Amino acid sequence: MPVHTSVCAPMGDEYRFVMVDSAGDGICCGYGKGSVQVSAGSLTVIDDASFGSRVSGSFAIMKNGTVVQTEAAASVPPPPPPPPSGYMAPSNAFPPPPPAQPATPPSPPSPPCTSITIAILADDYPGETSWSVLAGDSQESIKSGSPSSYDAGEWTNWTVCVDAGTYTARIEDSANDGLCCAFGKGAYKVSAGDLVLGEGGDFEDSANVRFLVTDDLVVANVPPPPPPSPSPPSPPCSMAELAFVTDEYPGEVTWAISQPGGHIQASGSLESEGENALVTVPVCLPTQGWALLTVMDSANDGLCCSYGHGGYELRVDGHVIASGSDFSETQFHWVSADLSKVDDFAATSGPDCLLEDVGLRYRGGVHTAADGTECLAWDDADLSAHGYTRLGWPGSGLGSHNSCRNPGGEFAGPWCFTKGPLGTEQSLCSVPSCTATPTIATFLVDESSATEQRAIKASSSHSKQRVSHSAALRAGVVAGAAACIAAIAILAVHATPAWRGERKQLAGAELI
């Protein structure tokens, strides 16, 4: 008698039906006249009887209820009948087996890749939206896709497995109205596991999420490389020096120098180094194009200033082209051995007005005191003893320029060193207040003032139990090696600066 079975299959998915006969002779016709029929809606997926050992077929139910066949019904034929009893094949009926081939060695395992998820909540016009993942600076598409017309108002996820390198996830809309909000409230999200690399929805023609993948981690918001500039032929790279002064937990710090395409050119860790130690590493920087210097701290407290006064500098021919100290998890610098490309990033990267009363974040180009006297450069050799250096005051905008600054916000406004009748003096500059708060574009992605970073760290709890060192002890430890290590001597001056405490009003105070 016929047997009917019904199964409720949700819409929006694909299904496969398989029927197996253990005797390999189907259900017709050697031992009865059976048959099997599988239907989904009005579509007959399978209608068979003498299928041998197995019959199968696949179909998909769209979100609008339409059923389409994705794989035609296929069956495995029954085996041939056995030979009659007593039959013996002639000796020449079967050719001799071919000689055994040597075993092919197994292929080496592929290196592990990192899964990146692209998720799109489609707006009212999904057909306008597409996505792609582009590799390195070549912007070669390694995978792409688009929501289907029946995905309006629904999230759709795609997974892309990528090797180490820099990538851009690009979301595009052909109608130049993004995913939100004129024609529906769509959105996108790019993530690696629980780490959200970028998300949004309100854009015009495209939105880009740039990220870096290494063997150990994924880093979001990697800045694009500076635009290429023509240069004469030169050697592929030039030697530079990466110098670290460790804090109390050097094992938390790692660094890498990578090419724009993502290839890791050099990397290392301070794990084997001692506390408050000077570590120098020779590195080779490109003389044409750029490299990305990344410095990371696994405890998210940088090298300064909660647990020691560490820092780092990258030098080319004695010229500091990148430095840092007081940061959280990661700092990025685009670097090159061509010094004409990396003239001090802190020189004039901001507006010529004050964003707050004392100009702590001022990065403009005013370079004369209020009386018109020309300022001295912050890296002037005559000023090194006073400790106002980029390494000593990280994130304060000091460097190879003479623009006014207010390191630490200790004085009434931006100031500079000048030459006066009595020698070197500190002089206030005349910088007007901004009428609105503009956005400051900086070359250093994670750059923020040392005072702001200290305030953030002071307000957060830390799981590590550490021994507290007094400023005098730090100065003594650092100054003990000052005779042979200039970089540590600079930090010693920073540990016991000449002017600390209340903010000072100054107008030509003499330095001695």
Side-chain angles (χ1 to χ4, degrees):
M1 58 180 297
V3 178
H4 298 273
T5 302
S6 298
V7 178
C8 188
M11 294 186 293
D13 213 337
E14 184 178 4
Y15 301 90
R16 180 179 177 83
F17 178 85
V18 179
M19 186 172 188
V20 178
D21 185 281
S22 60
D25 57 2
I27 56 178
C28 183
C29 297
Y31 303 97
K33 294 191 177 184
S35 65
V36 58
Q37 185 177 76
V38 179
S39 300
S42 60
L43 175 68
T44 299
V45 181
I46 297 175
D47 189 358
D48 203 346
S50 55
F51 50 83
S53 62
R54 186 178 66 176
V55 64
S56 63
S58 299
F59 61 95
I61 305 178
M62 303 301 181
K63 292 186 177 180
N64 59 4
T66 303
V67 181
V68 296
Q69 186 147 5
T70 57
E71 180 184 323
S75 61
V76 177
S85 177
Y87 172 79
M88 293 186 61
S91 59
N92 61 350
F94 302 101
Q101 298 294 324
T104 303
S107 301
S110 301
C113 59
T114 300
S115 293
I116 304 298
T117 300
I118 313 291
I120 294 181
L121 173 61
D123 61 4
D124 296 340
Y125 294 89
E128 300 172 355
T129 306
S130 61
W131 64 268
S132 57
V133 175
L134 313 175
D137 288 337
S138 67
Q139 299 291 281
E140 178 184 357
S141 177
I142 61 174
K143 196 166 185 180
S144 60
S146 174
S148 300
S149 58
Y150 53 82
D151 287 333
E154 300 286 341
W155 280 100
T156 306
N157 296 342
W158 297 268
T159 299
V160 183
C161 201
V162 299
D163 300 324
T166 54
Y167 297 91
T168 301
R170 178 168 297 164
I171 316 299
E172 297 182 275
D173 187 278
S174 60
N176 296 341
D177 57 11
L179 284 163
C180 183
C181 298
F183 301 99
K185 295 186 179 295
Y188 69 86
K189 180 185 290 186
V190 181
S191 56
D194 295 332
L195 175 64
V196 177
L197 304 175
E199 57 185 337
D202 189 3
F203 59 92
E204 292 182 359
D205 59 335
S206 65
N208 296 301
V209 178
R210 188 175 173 88
F211 56 94
L212 169 68
V213 177
T214 71
D215 293 338
D216 301 318
L217 77 165
V218 180
V219 181
N221 301 321
V222 176
S229 56
S231 57
S234 58
C237 69
S238 179
M239 295 307 298
E241 181 182 69
L242 179 60
F244 288 91
V245 175
T246 63
D247 61 2
E248 296 171 15
Y249 285 80
E252 300 169 352
V253 179
T254 57
W255 61 271
I257 294 178
S258 57
Q259 296 176 357
H263 172 69
I264 304 298
Q265 182 174 322
S267 62
S269 168
L270 303 185
E271 183 176 5
S272 61
E273 307 299 337
E275 299 179 22
N276 304 315
L278 175 67
V279 181
T280 59
V281 182
V283 295
C284 200
L285 298 182
T287 53
Q288 295 179 339
W290 298 87
L292 180 66
L293 169 63
T294 306
V295 180
M296 295 163 283
D297 187 285
S298 61
N300 297 348
D301 58 8
L303 284 159
C304 182
C305 299
S306 298
Y307 304 102
H309 282 70
Y312 65 89
E313 287 186 345
L314 181 61
R315 311 185 188 106
V316 174
D317 295 334
H319 185 95
V320 177
I321 64 171
S323 66
S325 180
D326 191 359
F327 59 97
S328 54
E329 179 184 10
T330 309
Q331 278 191 317
F332 301 103
H333 308 263
W334 284 107
V335 295
S336 171
D338 184 354
L339 297 181
S340 66
K341 295 182 179 181
V342 291
D343 191 19
D344 196 338
F345 64 81
T348 56
S349 58
D352 281 328
C353 57
L354 301 183
L355 300 173
E356 67 285 296
D357 292 342
V358 299
L360 179 66
R361 294 185 292 153
Y362 175 66
R363 298 296 184 270
V366 173
H367 54 84
T368 57
D371 62 0
T373 304
E374 185 77 10
C375 296
L376 299 176
W378 292 99
D379 61 355
D380 190 298
D382 294 337
L383 304 178
S384 60
H386 299 295
Y388 281 94
T389 64
R390 180 158 51 187
L391 182 60
W393 291 85
S396 296
L398 306 183
S400 302
H401 62 90
N402 66 338
S403 298
C404 303
R405 297 289 181 263
N406 192 5
E410 295 191 327
F411 300 101
W415 59 276
C416 68
F417 288 108
T418 59
K419 287 285 188 181
L422 301 178
T424 304
E425 302 174 344
Q426 290 173 279
S427 304
L428 283 172
C429 304
S430 179
V431 182
S433 296
C434 298
T435 56
T437 303
T439 299
I440 298 181
T442 57
F443 197 23
L444 177 60
V445 172
D446 197 25
E447 181 185 8
S448 57
S449 72
T451 300
E452 290 169 338
Q453 291 282 3
R454 294 187 188 105
I456 293 171
K457 293 181 180 179
S459 64
S460 62
S461 60
H462 205 288
S463 61
K464 291 182 283 191
Q465 301 295 323
R466 298 184 171 184
V467 179
S468 174
H469 294 270
S470 67
L473 176 59
R474 286 195 301 270
V477 171
V478 177
C484 60
I485 304 176
I488 296 183
I490 293 175
L491 295 182
V493 174
H494 183 202
T496 55
W499 308 281
R500 288 287 188 192
E502 65 183 35
R503 184 174 296 140
K504 296 176 176 58
Q505 301 280 347
L506 65 98
E510 178 183 2
L511 287 178
I512 57 174

